[in-house]
Amino acid sequence: MTNMPPLGSNLRGAVDLSSLVNRAPVGTPPVAGGGPPVTGTPAGGDASSTGAVTVPSLVLDGTDANFGELLELSSRVPVIVALWASWSEPSTQLITVLEKLITGLAGRFVLARVEIDTNPQLAQAFQAQSVPTVAAVITGQPVQLFNGPLAEEQISDVLGRVLELAAQQGVTGTAEASDAAVDAEPVPVVDEPLPPHHLEAYTAIEAGDYATAQNEYRTALAQNPNDTMAVAGLAQVSLLARLQGKTIDQIRNGAASSPDDLEAQLLVADLDLSGGHIEDAFDRLLNLFPAQPAPGRNTIRERILELFDVIGTDDPRVAPTRSRLAALLY
Protein backbone atom coordinates (compact mmCIF):
# COMPACT_ATOMS: atom_id res chain seq x y z
CA MET A 1 0.00 0.00 0.00
CA THR A 2 1.33 3.43 -0.89
CA ASN A 3 2.04 5.66 2.08
CA MET A 4 0.01 8.81 2.10
CA PRO A 5 2.08 11.92 1.26
CA PRO A 6 1.76 14.83 3.70
CA LEU A 7 -1.65 16.36 3.13
CA GLY A 8 -0.35 19.89 3.39
CA SER A 9 1.73 19.44 0.25
CA ASN A 10 -1.17 18.01 -1.76
CA LEU A 11 -4.06 20.21 -0.70
CA ARG A 12 -2.54 23.67 -0.95
CA GLY A 13 -3.70 26.13 -3.54
CA ALA A 14 -7.24 24.76 -3.78
CA VAL A 15 -9.20 26.26 -6.65
CA ASP A 16 -12.54 27.57 -5.39
CA LEU A 17 -15.38 26.56 -7.69
CA SER A 18 -18.09 27.61 -5.25
CA SER A 19 -19.31 30.00 -7.95
CA LEU A 20 -20.58 26.94 -9.78
CA VAL A 21 -23.27 26.64 -7.16
CA ASN A 22 -25.63 29.52 -6.60
CA ARG A 23 -27.33 28.56 -3.36
CA ALA A 24 -30.70 29.74 -4.57
CA PRO A 25 -34.02 27.93 -4.06
CA VAL A 26 -34.23 24.42 -5.46
CA GLY A 27 -34.82 24.47 -9.19
CA THR A 28 -32.56 27.45 -9.81
CA PRO A 29 -29.56 26.27 -11.85
CA PRO A 30 -26.03 26.98 -10.65
CA VAL A 31 -24.17 29.96 -12.07
CA ALA A 32 -23.14 29.34 -15.66
CA GLY A 33 -19.49 29.02 -16.55
CA GLY A 34 -16.75 27.65 -14.38
CA GLY A 35 -13.88 28.59 -12.19
CA PRO A 36 -10.29 29.11 -13.23
CA PRO A 37 -8.46 26.03 -14.46
CA VAL A 38 -6.65 23.93 -11.89
CA THR A 39 -2.92 24.39 -12.04
CA GLY A 40 -0.86 21.25 -12.43
CA THR A 41 -1.04 18.85 -15.33
CA PRO A 42 -1.23 20.82 -18.60
CA ALA A 43 -4.34 20.49 -20.72
CA GLY A 44 -3.99 17.36 -22.79
CA GLY A 45 -2.28 15.51 -19.96
CA ASP A 46 -0.40 12.33 -20.78
CA ALA A 47 -1.24 8.76 -21.56
CA SER A 48 -1.75 7.93 -17.90
CA SER A 49 -4.67 10.34 -17.63
CA THR A 50 -6.83 8.51 -20.17
CA GLY A 51 -8.18 5.00 -20.54
CA ALA A 52 -9.70 2.74 -17.91
CA VAL A 53 -8.41 2.02 -14.42
CA THR A 54 -9.67 -0.79 -12.20
CA VAL A 55 -10.84 0.14 -8.70
CA PRO A 56 -12.47 -2.00 -6.00
CA SER A 57 -15.66 0.02 -6.27
CA LEU A 58 -16.88 3.34 -7.65
CA VAL A 59 -17.74 4.30 -4.06
CA LEU A 60 -14.82 4.07 -1.64
CA ASP A 61 -14.15 5.06 1.95
CA GLY A 62 -11.39 7.65 2.05
CA THR A 63 -9.23 7.69 5.17
CA ASP A 64 -6.21 9.51 6.52
CA ALA A 65 -4.24 6.34 5.76
CA ASN A 66 -5.29 5.60 2.18
CA PHE A 67 -5.87 9.03 0.68
CA GLY A 68 -2.52 9.02 -1.09
CA GLU A 69 -3.86 6.31 -3.39
CA LEU A 70 -6.93 8.43 -4.16
CA LEU A 71 -4.70 11.38 -4.98
CA GLU A 72 -2.85 9.19 -7.48
CA LEU A 73 -6.16 7.95 -8.90
CA SER A 74 -7.25 11.55 -9.51
CA SER A 75 -4.69 11.80 -12.35
CA ARG A 76 -6.77 9.21 -14.22
CA VAL A 77 -10.35 9.95 -13.17
CA PRO A 78 -11.87 12.78 -11.11
CA VAL A 79 -12.42 11.89 -7.45
CA ILE A 80 -15.39 13.42 -5.64
CA VAL A 81 -14.69 13.75 -1.92
CA ALA A 82 -17.70 13.87 0.40
CA LEU A 83 -16.90 14.73 4.01
CA TRP A 84 -19.73 13.59 6.24
CA ALA A 85 -20.70 12.41 9.72
CA SER A 86 -22.95 9.54 10.68
CA TRP A 87 -24.77 11.75 13.21
CA SER A 88 -25.66 14.37 10.57
CA GLU A 89 -28.88 13.52 8.77
CA PRO A 90 -28.29 16.04 5.93
CA SER A 91 -24.86 14.55 5.25
CA THR A 92 -26.05 10.94 5.24
CA GLN A 93 -28.84 11.98 2.91
CA LEU A 94 -26.36 13.70 0.59
CA ILE A 95 -24.09 10.64 0.56
CA THR A 96 -27.03 8.56 -0.68
CA VAL A 97 -27.67 11.02 -3.52
CA LEU A 98 -23.99 11.15 -4.47
CA GLU A 99 -23.71 7.36 -4.51
CA LYS A 100 -26.69 7.16 -6.84
CA LEU A 101 -25.33 9.81 -9.22
CA ILE A 102 -21.74 8.52 -9.25
CA THR A 103 -22.69 4.90 -9.88
CA GLY A 104 -24.99 6.04 -12.67
CA LEU A 105 -22.21 7.85 -14.55
CA ALA A 106 -20.46 4.71 -15.83
CA GLY A 107 -17.11 5.26 -14.17
CA ARG A 108 -16.64 8.92 -15.02
CA PHE A 109 -16.03 9.59 -11.30
CA VAL A 110 -14.98 7.79 -8.15
CA LEU A 111 -16.67 8.85 -4.92
CA ALA A 112 -14.57 8.95 -1.73
CA ARG A 113 -16.64 9.09 1.45
CA VAL A 114 -14.68 10.61 4.33
CA GLU A 115 -16.15 10.43 7.83
CA ILE A 116 -14.75 13.44 9.63
CA ASP A 117 -14.92 12.00 13.15
CA THR A 118 -12.47 9.22 12.30
CA ASN A 119 -10.33 11.14 9.78
CA PRO A 120 -9.44 14.46 11.40
CA GLN A 121 -6.41 15.02 9.18
CA LEU A 122 -8.53 15.01 6.02
CA ALA A 123 -11.23 17.12 7.67
CA GLN A 124 -8.59 19.73 8.46
CA ALA A 125 -6.94 19.50 5.05
CA PHE A 126 -10.23 20.12 3.25
CA GLN A 127 -11.14 22.83 5.80
CA ALA A 128 -14.44 21.12 6.56
CA GLN A 129 -16.06 23.50 9.03
CA SER A 130 -19.42 21.76 8.68
CA VAL A 131 -20.89 18.63 7.17
CA PRO A 132 -21.60 17.77 4.51
CA THR A 133 -18.69 19.33 2.61
CA VAL A 134 -18.05 18.24 -0.97
CA ALA A 135 -14.91 18.75 -3.05
CA ALA A 136 -13.26 17.22 -6.10
CA VAL A 137 -9.65 16.19 -6.60
CA ILE A 138 -8.20 16.43 -10.12
CA THR A 139 -4.51 15.67 -10.77
CA GLY A 140 -3.94 15.80 -7.02
CA GLN A 141 -5.39 19.30 -6.69
CA PRO A 142 -8.47 19.99 -4.54
CA VAL A 143 -11.46 21.81 -6.02
CA GLN A 144 -13.93 23.10 -3.46
CA LEU A 145 -17.50 22.52 -4.64
CA PHE A 146 -20.17 23.13 -2.00
CA ASN A 147 -21.22 22.47 1.57
CA GLY A 148 -24.59 21.79 3.05
CA PRO A 149 -27.51 19.98 1.42
CA LEU A 150 -28.13 20.53 -2.29
CA ALA A 151 -30.83 19.33 -4.68
CA GLU A 152 -30.01 16.34 -6.87
CA GLU A 153 -30.46 18.36 -10.08
CA GLN A 154 -27.96 20.95 -8.91
CA ILE A 155 -25.46 18.28 -7.89
CA SER A 156 -25.77 16.73 -11.37
CA ASP A 157 -25.01 20.10 -12.92
CA VAL A 158 -21.95 20.56 -10.69
CA LEU A 159 -20.65 17.11 -11.65
CA GLY A 160 -20.99 18.04 -15.31
CA ARG A 161 -18.89 21.16 -14.73
CA VAL A 162 -16.27 19.09 -12.91
CA LEU A 163 -16.03 16.80 -15.95
CA GLU A 164 -15.41 19.85 -18.13
CA LEU A 165 -12.69 21.03 -15.77
CA ALA A 166 -11.12 17.57 -15.69
CA ALA A 167 -11.09 17.45 -19.49
CA GLN A 168 -9.23 20.77 -19.53
CA GLN A 169 -6.56 19.07 -17.43
CA GLY A 170 -6.47 16.02 -19.69
CA VAL A 171 -8.13 13.76 -17.14
CA THR A 172 -10.58 11.81 -19.29
CA GLY A 173 -10.18 8.25 -18.04
CA THR A 174 -12.84 6.01 -16.58
CA ALA A 175 -12.96 3.71 -13.58
CA GLU A 176 -14.10 0.11 -13.76
CA ALA A 177 -15.25 -1.52 -10.54
CA SER A 178 -13.68 -4.93 -9.95
CA ASP A 179 -16.79 -5.96 -8.04
CA ALA A 180 -19.02 -5.41 -11.06
CA ALA A 181 -18.69 -9.00 -12.30
CA VAL A 182 -19.49 -10.35 -8.85
CA ASP A 183 -22.70 -8.38 -8.80
CA ALA A 184 -24.18 -9.98 -11.92
CA GLU A 185 -27.36 -10.72 -9.97
CA PRO A 186 -27.79 -7.60 -7.87
CA VAL A 187 -30.29 -7.76 -5.06
CA PRO A 188 -32.72 -4.88 -5.48
CA VAL A 189 -32.71 -2.43 -2.61
CA VAL A 190 -36.16 -1.28 -1.63
CA ASP A 191 -36.14 1.93 0.34
CA GLU A 192 -38.67 2.19 3.11
CA PRO A 193 -41.04 5.07 2.33
CA LEU A 194 -40.54 8.04 4.60
CA PRO A 195 -43.42 9.19 6.78
CA PRO A 196 -45.12 12.23 5.18
CA HIS A 197 -43.79 14.85 7.60
CA HIS A 198 -40.25 13.46 7.38
CA LEU A 199 -40.44 13.64 3.60
CA GLU A 200 -41.64 17.24 3.75
CA ALA A 201 -38.82 18.04 6.18
CA TYR A 202 -36.21 16.51 3.84
CA THR A 203 -37.57 18.53 0.92
CA ALA A 204 -37.42 21.71 2.97
CA ILE A 205 -33.84 20.98 4.09
CA GLU A 206 -32.75 20.57 0.45
CA ALA A 207 -34.24 24.01 -0.25
CA GLY A 208 -32.51 25.55 2.77
CA ASP A 209 -35.92 26.20 4.36
CA TYR A 210 -35.01 25.10 7.85
CA ALA A 211 -38.01 26.77 9.52
CA THR A 212 -40.42 24.61 7.51
CA ALA A 213 -38.35 21.52 8.24
CA GLN A 214 -38.50 22.29 11.97
CA ASN A 215 -42.28 22.66 11.81
CA GLU A 216 -42.63 19.34 9.97
CA TYR A 217 -40.57 17.51 12.59
CA ARG A 218 -42.55 19.16 15.41
CA THR A 219 -45.78 18.02 13.78
CA ALA A 220 -44.39 14.48 13.50
CA LEU A 221 -43.51 14.54 17.21
CA ALA A 222 -46.94 15.87 18.14
CA GLN A 223 -48.43 12.85 16.38
CA ASN A 224 -45.89 10.41 17.82
CA PRO A 225 -43.75 11.63 20.74
CA ASN A 226 -41.68 8.42 20.49
CA ASP A 227 -40.54 9.15 16.92
CA THR A 228 -36.78 9.06 17.52
CA MET A 229 -36.03 9.96 13.89
CA ALA A 230 -38.05 13.14 14.29
CA VAL A 231 -36.27 13.97 17.55
CA ALA A 232 -32.89 13.66 15.85
CA GLY A 233 -34.08 15.46 12.72
CA LEU A 234 -35.45 18.40 14.70
CA ALA A 235 -32.22 18.74 16.68
CA GLN A 236 -30.09 18.60 13.54
CA VAL A 237 -32.13 21.06 11.50
CA SER A 238 -32.35 23.43 14.49
CA LEU A 239 -28.55 23.44 14.58
CA LEU A 240 -28.45 24.26 10.86
CA ALA A 241 -31.01 27.05 11.35
CA ARG A 242 -28.94 28.68 14.10
CA LEU A 243 -25.87 28.73 11.86
CA GLN A 244 -27.67 29.75 8.66
CA GLY A 245 -26.50 33.04 7.17
CA LYS A 246 -23.54 33.39 9.53
CA THR A 247 -19.89 33.06 8.60
CA ILE A 248 -17.27 31.27 10.65
CA ASP A 249 -15.43 34.54 11.29
CA GLN A 250 -18.62 36.29 12.42
CA ILE A 251 -19.37 33.55 14.92
CA ARG A 252 -15.86 33.22 16.34
CA ASN A 253 -15.16 36.97 16.42
CA GLY A 254 -18.52 37.61 18.06
CA ALA A 255 -17.76 35.13 20.81
CA ALA A 256 -14.23 36.47 21.32
CA SER A 257 -15.41 40.07 21.59
CA SER A 258 -18.33 39.22 23.91
CA PRO A 259 -17.14 36.53 26.33
CA ASP A 260 -20.10 37.20 28.64
CA ASP A 261 -22.68 36.88 25.86
CA LEU A 262 -24.14 33.43 26.42
CA GLU A 263 -25.84 33.27 23.02
CA ALA A 264 -22.54 34.07 21.27
CA GLN A 265 -20.81 31.27 23.18
CA LEU A 266 -23.60 28.82 22.44
CA LEU A 267 -23.26 29.62 18.75
CA VAL A 268 -19.53 28.80 18.80
CA ALA A 269 -20.37 25.45 20.39
CA ASP A 270 -22.85 24.84 17.54
CA LEU A 271 -20.14 25.68 15.05
CA ASP A 272 -17.64 23.36 16.71
CA LEU A 273 -20.05 20.44 16.72
CA SER A 274 -21.15 21.03 13.12
CA GLY A 275 -17.50 20.79 12.08
CA GLY A 276 -16.97 17.53 13.94
CA HIS A 277 -15.19 19.09 16.95
CA ILE A 278 -17.64 17.48 19.32
CA GLU A 279 -15.47 17.35 22.45
CA ASP A 280 -14.60 21.04 22.00
CA ALA A 281 -18.29 21.93 21.79
CA PHE A 282 -19.18 20.07 24.99
CA ASP A 283 -16.11 21.36 26.82
CA ARG A 284 -17.04 24.94 25.96
CA LEU A 285 -20.57 24.52 27.28
CA LEU A 286 -19.55 22.71 30.46
CA ASN A 287 -16.89 25.32 31.22
CA LEU A 288 -19.48 28.08 30.82
CA PHE A 289 -21.91 26.39 33.19
CA PRO A 290 -20.56 27.21 36.70
CA ALA A 291 -20.47 31.00 36.23
CA GLN A 292 -24.00 31.28 34.89
CA PRO A 293 -27.09 32.25 36.89
CA ALA A 294 -29.93 29.72 37.06
CA PRO A 295 -31.58 30.71 33.74
CA GLY A 296 -28.24 30.52 31.90
CA ARG A 297 -27.47 27.14 33.41
CA ASN A 298 -30.82 25.81 32.27
CA THR A 299 -30.18 27.14 28.77
CA ILE A 300 -26.80 25.39 28.64
CA ARG A 301 -28.28 22.15 29.99
CA GLU A 302 -31.01 22.20 27.34
CA ARG A 303 -28.50 22.92 24.57
CA ILE A 304 -26.26 20.03 25.66
CA LEU A 305 -29.21 17.65 25.68
CA GLU A 306 -30.23 18.88 22.23
CA LEU A 307 -26.71 18.31 20.91
CA PHE A 308 -26.87 14.77 22.30
CA ASP A 309 -29.80 14.25 19.92
CA VAL A 310 -27.78 15.73 17.04
CA ILE A 311 -24.93 13.24 17.34
CA GLY A 312 -27.04 10.35 18.66
CA THR A 313 -27.40 9.37 22.29
CA ASP A 314 -25.40 6.20 21.65
CA ASP A 315 -22.32 8.21 20.64
CA PRO A 316 -19.44 7.33 23.02
CA ARG A 317 -18.92 11.01 23.86
CA VAL A 318 -22.41 11.39 25.29
CA ALA A 319 -21.98 9.32 28.48
CA PRO A 320 -18.90 11.18 29.85
CA THR A 321 -20.46 14.53 28.99
CA ARG A 322 -23.68 13.53 30.73
CA SER A 323 -21.68 12.56 33.82
CA ARG A 324 -19.84 15.87 33.88
CA LEU A 325 -23.12 17.74 33.52
CA ALA A 326 -24.71 15.75 36.35
CA ALA A 327 -21.74 16.56 38.59
CA LEU A 328 -22.27 20.26 37.91
CA LEU A 329 -25.99 20.07 38.54
CA TYR A 330 -25.90 18.19 41.82
Side-chain angles (χ1 to χ4, degrees):
M1 179 175 292
T2 304
N3 290 328
M4 180 178 174
L7 284 172
S9 65
N10 288 286
L11 297 180
R12 288 179 184 153
V15 178
D16 186 0
L17 288 191
S18 58
S19 60
L20 288 176
V21 184
N22 178 15
R23 298 308 301 276
V26 172
T28 303
V31 175
V38 175
T39 57
T41 305
D46 57 31
S48 67
S49 61
T50 62
V53 58
T54 300
V55 293
S57 173
L58 296 179
V59 179
L60 303 169
D61 288 317
T63 68
D64 288 347
N66 72 6
F67 205 75
E69 296 176 19
L70 292 170
L71 289 172
E72 293 178 9
L73 178 62
S74 72
S75 66
R76 306 283 297 276
V77 61
V79 176
I80 300 299
V81 181
L83 296 107
W84 70 294
S86 58
W87 47 262
S88 166
E89 190 170 303
S91 69
T92 57
Q93 185 181 357
L94 181 66
I95 287 290
T96 301
V97 174
L98 284 170
E99 289 175 352
K100 171 188 171 184
L101 292 174
I102 295 297
T103 55
L105 286 171
R108 303 294 299 279
F109 293 99
V110 168
L111 174 63
R113 303 172 301 196
V114 176
E115 189 161 10
I116 61 170
D117 287 345
T118 53
N119 298 284
Q121 193 178 7
L122 285 174
Q124 181 178 10
F126 280 98
Q127 301 177 345
Q129 296 294 333
S130 63
V131 287
T133 291
V134 180
V137 181
I138 304 171
T139 66
Q141 294 292 318
V143 182
Q144 303 298 333
L145 298 179
F146 61 91
N147 54 48
L150 202 64
E152 183 173 332
E153 303 81 29
Q154 291 179 292
I155 298 173
S156 294
D157 191 85
V158 170
L159 292 177
R161 304 298 175 83
V162 173
L163 283 177
E164 295 174 8
L165 184 62
Q168 293 174 16
Q169 303 306 308
V171 179
T172 57
T174 57
E176 293 182 354
S178 59
D179 60 7
V182 178
D183 295 333
E185 288 276 345
V187 177
V189 177
V190 179
D191 292 330
E192 290 289 332
L194 287 171
H197 292 295
H198 288 253
L199 182 59
E200 291 298 326
Y202 278 18
T203 302
I205 289 171
E206 281 192 336
D209 185 358
Y210 300 139
T212 295
Q214 287 173 302
N215 289 334
E216 292 294 338
Y217 282 129
R218 290 189 184 106
T219 302
L221 285 169
Q223 295 175 356
N224 178 13
N226 296 320
D227 186 343
T228 56
M229 286 180 59
V231 170
L234 178 58
Q236 290 165 3
V237 79
S238 296
L239 173 65
L240 293 173
R242 292 193 294 268
L243 296 174
Q244 189 175 33
K246 301 176 179 68
T247 67
I248 295 169
D249 287 343
Q250 285 174 340
I251 294 172
R252 295 208 180 278
N253 291 340
S257 62
S258 303
D260 297 326
D261 184 340
L262 179 57
E263 286 302 319
Q265 303 305 318
L266 291 171
L267 200 57
V268 175
D270 285 342
L271 180 65
D272 284 340
L273 188 133
S274 73
H277 307 294
I278 296 172
E279 293 92 342
D280 292 344
F282 288 141
D283 283 344
R284 178 181 295 274
L285 295 176
L286 291 169
N287 290 336
L288 284 172
F289 192 92
Q292 294 295 317
R297 289 186 176 197
N298 191 54
T299 297
I300 293 172
R301 181 187 66 83
E302 291 178 348
R303 180 60 56 84
I304 289 174
L305 295 178
E306 182 178 350
L307 295 182
F308 286 168
D309 289 328
V310 171
I311 65 173
T313 54
D314 57 348
D315 186 283
R317 288 159 290 201
V318 167
T321 304
R322 197 187 297 276
S323 297
R324 290 175 63 190
L325 177 62
L328 293 170
L329 285 170
Y330 305 111

